[in-house]
Amino acid sequence: MLKENDAVIHNIYYGNGVIRKITDEKVYVEFKCGRRIFPYPAAFEKGYLQSISEEGFLKDDSEAYETELVQTETYSKEIEEYEEMRTVNSLLEIFQNCRILDEYLSSSNDLNKEFAINLIKRGTCFLAVKRNGNYRFYPSRFVGYANNNRNKHEANDQKNGRVTNPAISAILKIKKPVANEKLNNEYIKFCDNLGFEARAKGAFGVVRKFWEVQV
């Protein structure tokens, strides 16, 4: 049974590494070159990752490696860097994250869609973006981290609105998000359009707060 701090080897690019976190779907491995996320258990089943205790893991078979390189062309696209998440530093970075959430909400990928809906359902502080007379709502804890996506967000154990809120406020030049009855009613309508009933309050029973931006 694999567990945290077990040693593994990535036969193609990264060499030896150490498991820093393992879930039912992903394994997070730290190599000398940085951290990477792999599908679990697929990475082991396909042979791209091996436990360091597996017999023969150090075998130097360059021909086999070349074969694996060809076979992993598609698979390697699934591998993402596990970076220390930084907060956004421009309006462009915020809107890039908004676009990602919009794509998830209209996606045929059920996991992405469910992820985005749960963020909106459970959020407390939102960027309210008015476009063509309609509002869309984006949770601070997602849009406040640069170049965010589902995998990075789920892997980010340090995500915190107390970190993202000041970053967003600084960019918008607004002191902080505030409770707003009109925007809360628009949020409720937005949730209805997404097919679920808005909760009475945000996470932990906290009143929802908003920044408003018109584009």
Side-chain angles (χ1 to χ4, degrees):
M1 176 70 69
L2 291 166
K3 58 186 183 302
E4 291 181 8
N5 297 320
D6 278 358
V8 296
I9 184 169
H10 184 268
N11 284 326
I12 301 168
Y13 304 115
Y14 307 124
N16 292 347
V18 177
I19 295 175
R20 293 307 185 196
K21 180 180 176 182
I22 189 165
T23 71
D24 290 340
E25 296 182 350
K26 299 183 183 73
V27 58
Y28 303 77
V29 183
E30 184 165 4
F31 301 97
K32 287 184 179 180
C33 63
R35 295 177 181 177
R36 302 291 185 270
I37 303 172
F38 300 87
Y40 179 78
F44 290 91
E45 293 172 346
K46 296 180 180 181
Y48 304 121
L49 284 179
Q50 290 180 279
S51 169
I52 208 161
S53 61
E54 289 185 16
E55 186 175 354
F57 81 97
L58 288 176
K59 182 179 177 182
D60 184 10
D61 187 339
S62 58
E63 183 178 348
Y65 288 178
E66 289 177 9
T67 301
E68 288 186 17
L69 280 170
V70 174
Q71 292 174 341
T72 59
E73 182 176 355
T74 301
Y75 168 78
S76 63
K77 294 177 183 178
E78 301 174 14
I79 301 171
E80 296 197 25
E81 293 187 21
Y82 177 51
E83 302 171 337
E84 291 297 326
M85 299 294 285
R86 68 168 177 84
T87 54
V88 289
N89 56 30
S90 71
L91 191 58
L92 176 61
E93 287 187 330
I94 293 175
F95 284 156
Q96 284 174 337
N97 288 335
C98 293
R99 178 180 56 79
I100 292 294
L101 277 186
D102 285 340
E103 289 177 358
Y104 288 169
L105 289 170
S106 60
S107 174
S108 59
N109 183 316
D110 290 341
L111 289 177
N112 286 344
K113 190 168 186 175
E114 182 181 6
F115 166 79
I117 285 176
N118 283 336
L119 286 182
I120 293 165
K121 185 183 295 185
R122 299 168 182 169
T124 300
C125 294
F126 290 90
L127 179 67
V129 178
K130 188 176 184 180
R131 182 184 294 112
N132 299 325
N134 296 312
Y135 283 94
R136 298 185 71 85
F137 293 84
Y138 305 93
S140 163
R141 289 207 310 165
F142 184 86
V143 300
Y145 287 104
N147 303 310
N148 214 354
N149 60 38
R150 179 169 68 89
N151 287 341
K152 288 182 178 180
H153 190 79
E154 290 176 343
N156 182 10
D157 295 329
Q158 305 302 316
K159 52 184 175 282
N160 193 321
R162 293 177 182 176
V163 175
T164 55
N165 285 1
I168 295 170
S169 290
I171 292 167
L172 299 178
K173 296 181 171 54
I174 299 173
K175 187 173 182 180
K176 60 182 179 180
V178 295
N180 183 306
E181 184 177 357
K182 181 194 80 171
L183 291 179
N184 194 61
N185 288 335
E186 291 291 341
Y187 167 84
I188 292 171
K189 288 166 52 179
F190 181 64
C191 294
D192 285 342
N193 291 335
L194 291 176
F196 66 90
E197 184 177 351
R199 297 177 177 181
K201 294 184 179 180
F204 308 109
V206 177
V207 173
R208 280 183 286 269
K209 299 179 177 68
F210 306 91
W211 302 270
E212 184 176 3
V213 175
Q214 186 163 337
V215 296

